[in-house]
Amino acid sequence: MTGTALSHRLRHALTDVFALVYLALCAVLLTWALVVTALDDSGESMAAVIPFLATAPASLVLLLLPDHLTMSLLAIAFGALVNATVIGWCARALRPMSR
């Protein structure tokens, strides 16, 4: 498979409505977690766990990165993109073929 064909398939998978809804949900969860964590005075907020669980298992693979906010955001973004791609591919494969 050439690079052009792969990018074409990825674009089709990521532009599926189910994949876009999943990505929007992940963005909302991440925004919520960042706001809750920023407003927590005690430093004991566990809100960041929710976006990691929503983007598992791919985001959990990158949890071994150094402990920094940007690395956590990278892991969540990577997990969301991988899962959205799989969701898009599955949604397209399960649709009946239209003529």
Side-chain angles (χ1 to χ4, degrees):
M1 182 180 302
T2 65
T4 306
L6 180 63
S7 65
H8 181 69
R9 286 179 181 237
L10 282 174
R11 187 183 56 205
H12 271 357
L14 288 174
T15 56
D16 186 73
V17 68
F18 294 109
L20 291 175
V21 167
Y22 173 76
L23 286 173
L25 176 69
C26 289
V28 168
L29 287 175
L30 180 61
T31 304
W32 170 79
L34 290 173
V35 168
V36 167
T37 303
L39 295 177
D40 184 25
D41 293 346
S42 66
E44 298 174 358
S45 176
M46 294 293 291
V49 171
I50 302 300
F52 274 109
L53 291 177
T55 58
S59 64
L60 299 179
V61 171
L62 295 180
L63 264 178
L64 299 176
L65 292 173
D67 188 24
H68 195 267
L69 177 63
T70 55
M71 294 301 155
S72 297
L73 294 176
L74 177 69
I76 292 170
F78 174 75
L81 286 174
V82 168
N83 290 345
T85 303
V86 171
I87 290 169
W89 280 338
C90 290
R92 289 193 183 272
L94 294 174
R95 276 199 193 103
M97 297 293 279
S98 60
R99 293 182 186 223

